[in-house]
Amino acid sequence: MNEILKIVIYYAAIFTPYRLLCYIPFYKKLRFSLAVSIIIFTLANILHYLFIALFVLKGADVRSIEFISVLFGIPYFIIVKEDPFKLLFFYIFIMDTVIILRGISVFIMYTFFDVSYTAEILIHTVCFAVFLPFLIILLRKAVTIIFDVEAPKLWRTIWILPFVTSAIILMFTYDLKPAGSYRLQFISARLLFIFAVLMIYGVLLASLKNIKEQTILKEKSETANKLTAMYMTQYNTLYNHITEIRKARHDLRQHINLIQSYIDKGNNKSLSEYLALYKKTIPDDIKTGYCANNTIDVMLGWYGAAAEENNIKFITDIRVPSEINIPEPTLCVLFGNLLENAIDACKATDLEVPFIKVCCTITGTNVFSLTVDNSCKYPPVFENGVLMSSKHKGKGYGTYSVSSIAEEYGGIADFKYNNNVFYASVLLYTKHEM
């Protein structure tokens, strides 16, 4: 019984810290409650260590039993609610660390100390403590990428490379007995394994990071394209509406002539019927004439009307020529995003007279300046200097699009909040190849 307890304590001291490292990064993704998870974890580990102890005492090969008992890692995949292949990748990473540190501690024990369970436990604990800070740094980077990268097909195969490397090293350093562990070949293989593991996981994690960044860029590009299409549709709708108004005004002379003929004939009934019909054909008027540039004028007309409907004071100071070296879609996205956010913020405020003030000018020959100030009851949330959305979780797509445009044109986009007013400023250099 004492021998069984000794073996159980040995394996618990060697393996349990690594098992805990497998779970800690995923403590928010447990399939069961924390208490139930701890119970399952504890029972699985006790059974694992008892399994090894019983077979070792019966004369079974220790290393073979250790490899077979890897099956006791199955509860990890049951307890943690995550893609099993992601967990497998992470699990192999932790097991590689066990292989490295256990090999080093065994070599040190056989070379410099008396052979005993206690000596190996102490030496291994020291090696683990020394390596732990570096391991934590690696784990933080690895877990962040593992959480964020959604590529099911890749995760199904990416674990194979570190697994094969680990298998090869174990084949050449299988024996942990004195005869095998004394050799320089043994410790050299384990040290080279450290280098191989760092290189493999470094390359894999860098590749995963690139995939993550490409995915983010793709999503942002798709969002920007959707916003551009939306604002262009809005712009075209409004432009067509204004065209209808102009056409109606152009046709007004003919209507006046007909009305005059009814008046001359004293045919009031026909006049009344005609005016009722004509009134229905006249489109609602939208104010324009904010500036000489047609695109900006149309966007201001649209949002100016929306502001008026919501009792928002709409102030403009626009000094731009009819032709600007910025494409229509870009202008639509700039004005559309900023003005839509401004109207939403004004709707949410309890100020008696909320306001939006739009100023736009071109300085010199190529500096385009746009500012939109508006009433805003609640301070916006910034994370690492990035404005977060108040409508959904994550970054604000609208302000991100504006910032991307500013970056594309070698300018800046700045967003600030002070005393219930949100200030948005954009500066572009319009000498830009299109």
Side-chain angles (χ1 to χ4, degrees):
M1 183 65 184
N2 289 337
E3 192 64 25
I4 290 177
L5 183 61
K6 189 186 296 183
I7 296 173
V8 168
I9 292 172
Y10 166 77
Y11 279 99
I14 296 295
F15 288 108
T16 303
Y18 300 98
R19 294 274 176 83
L20 287 171
L21 282 176
C22 287
Y23 286 89
I24 289 173
F26 301 96
Y27 74 96
K28 290 184 178 179
K29 294 195 171 189
L30 300 178
R31 200 179 299 274
F32 313 104
S33 67
L34 182 61
V36 173
S37 299
I38 290 173
I39 291 171
I40 297 173
F41 172 82
T42 304
L43 290 175
N45 280 279
I46 291 173
L47 288 173
H48 178 197
Y49 306 143
L50 282 172
F51 173 83
I52 296 177
L54 291 172
F55 276 90
V56 168
L57 291 177
K58 287 184 177 181
D61 180 68
V62 176
R63 294 294 278 161
S64 298
I65 296 301
E66 286 180 359
F67 291 146
I68 294 171
S69 64
V70 169
L71 294 174
F72 283 91
I74 290 175
Y76 174 58
F77 298 88
I78 297 173
I79 294 172
V80 179
K81 191 177 181 180
E82 182 57 274
D83 183 331
F85 291 102
K86 286 186 177 183
L87 295 178
L88 182 59
F89 179 83
F90 189 72
Y91 188 75
I92 293 172
F93 177 74
I94 298 296
M95 291 303 102
D96 285 345
T97 308
V98 178
I99 295 169
I100 293 166
L101 295 186
R102 194 178 181 202
I104 292 172
S105 61
V106 167
F107 176 80
I108 293 172
M109 181 184 68
Y110 285 143
T111 306
F112 302 104
F113 299 94
D114 293 332
V115 178
S116 68
Y117 284 141
T118 303
E120 186 177 347
I121 289 171
L122 290 174
I123 294 168
H124 185 272
T125 302
V126 171
C127 291
F128 179 79
V130 171
F131 193 70
L132 185 59
F134 303 100
L135 185 59
I136 290 173
I137 294 172
L138 288 172
L139 289 180
R140 282 178 178 172
K141 291 181 179 180
V143 169
T144 300
I145 294 171
I146 290 171
F147 278 164
D148 292 345
V149 175
E150 296 298 334
K153 290 183 179 179
L154 179 64
W155 286 115
R156 287 176 199 148
T157 56
I158 198 172
W159 60 273
I160 295 174
L161 181 57
F163 174 78
V164 170
T165 306
S166 306
I168 292 171
I169 293 297
L170 286 173
M171 287 178 188
F172 284 95
T173 62
Y174 177 83
D175 192 4
L176 288 181
K177 296 176 183 178
S181 302
Y182 271 130
R183 293 179 299 165
L184 184 62
Q185 178 187 358
F186 176 88
I187 190 62
S188 298
R190 294 292 171 117
L191 291 174
L192 287 172
F193 187 41
I194 295 177
F195 177 76
V197 165
L198 292 176
M199 288 296 294
I200 289 170
Y201 283 98
V203 171
L204 291 178
L205 291 175
S207 300
L208 290 171
K209 185 178 179 182
N210 288 334
I211 291 172
K212 174 187 171 184
E213 290 173 350
Q214 289 173 9
T215 302
I216 292 172
L217 287 173
K218 182 180 178 182
E219 289 177 353
K220 289 178 177 178
S221 176
E222 289 176 353
T223 301
N225 290 336
K226 288 179 182 177
L227 286 171
T228 300
M230 181 182 73
Y231 288 122
M232 280 303 297
T233 300
Q234 191 179 69
Y235 166 76
N236 290 330
T237 300
L238 185 57
Y239 183 80
N240 292 335
H241 183 79
I242 292 172
T243 301
E244 288 179 15
I245 293 174
R246 288 172 178 169
K247 183 177 180 296
R249 287 175 177 169
H250 179 267
D251 295 339
L252 184 59
R253 182 180 300 174
Q254 306 303 323
H255 295 293
I256 290 174
N257 291 335
L258 184 56
I259 290 169
Q260 186 63 53
S261 70
Y262 283 132
I263 292 173
D264 293 341
K265 295 176 181 179
N267 191 347
N268 293 332
K269 182 181 178 182
S270 297
L271 175 61
S272 179
E273 292 174 352
Y274 177 74
L275 288 175
L277 290 171
Y278 177 58
K279 186 177 180 181
K280 293 179 181 180
T281 66
I282 301 175
D284 295 332
D285 197 7
I286 291 179
K287 181 183 175 183
T288 55
Y290 290 96
C291 67
N293 181 272
N294 191 64
T295 305
I296 296 175
D297 193 39
V298 168
M299 296 302 290
L300 291 174
W302 178 281
Y303 287 102
E308 185 177 348
E309 287 178 8
N310 290 279
N311 298 316
I312 301 169
K313 190 176 182 181
F314 195 69
I315 309 162
T316 62
D317 182 9
I318 313 297
R319 304 178 187 181
V320 295
S322 58
E323 297 296 329
I324 301 174
N325 197 20
I326 300 175
E328 284 185 355
T330 302
L331 290 173
C332 286
V333 171
L334 279 177
F335 281 85
N337 279 310
L338 295 179
L339 291 173
E340 186 168 323
N341 287 344
I343 286 177
D344 288 342
C346 286
K347 287 179 181 178
T349 187
D350 54 5
L351 294 176
E352 186 175 344
V353 184
F355 75 91
I356 298 173
K357 183 178 180 181
V358 187
C359 296
C360 185
T361 185
I362 290 186
T363 305
T365 57
N366 69 323
V367 181
F368 177 88
S369 171
L370 170 63
T371 62
V372 178
D373 307 336
N374 60 269
S375 304
C376 185
K377 182 178 181 180
Y378 302 104
V381 177
F382 291 87
E383 289 187 10
N384 299 320
V386 178
L387 185 62
M388 309 306 288
S389 175
S390 60
K391 303 173 186 176
H392 56 80
K393 187 177 180 181
K395 300 176 183 178
Y397 291 133
T399 50
Y400 170 78
S401 294
V402 171
S403 297
S404 297
I405 290 171
E407 184 179 349
E408 181 185 355
Y409 281 78
I412 57 171
D414 186 49
F415 307 101
K416 294 179 180 178
Y417 177 85
N418 188 33
N419 294 330
N420 294 323
V421 179
F422 182 76
Y423 301 92
S425 305
V426 182
L427 191 70
L428 308 179
Y429 293 96
T430 61
K431 282 186 177 179
H432 177 78
E433 293 183 7
M434 296 181 287

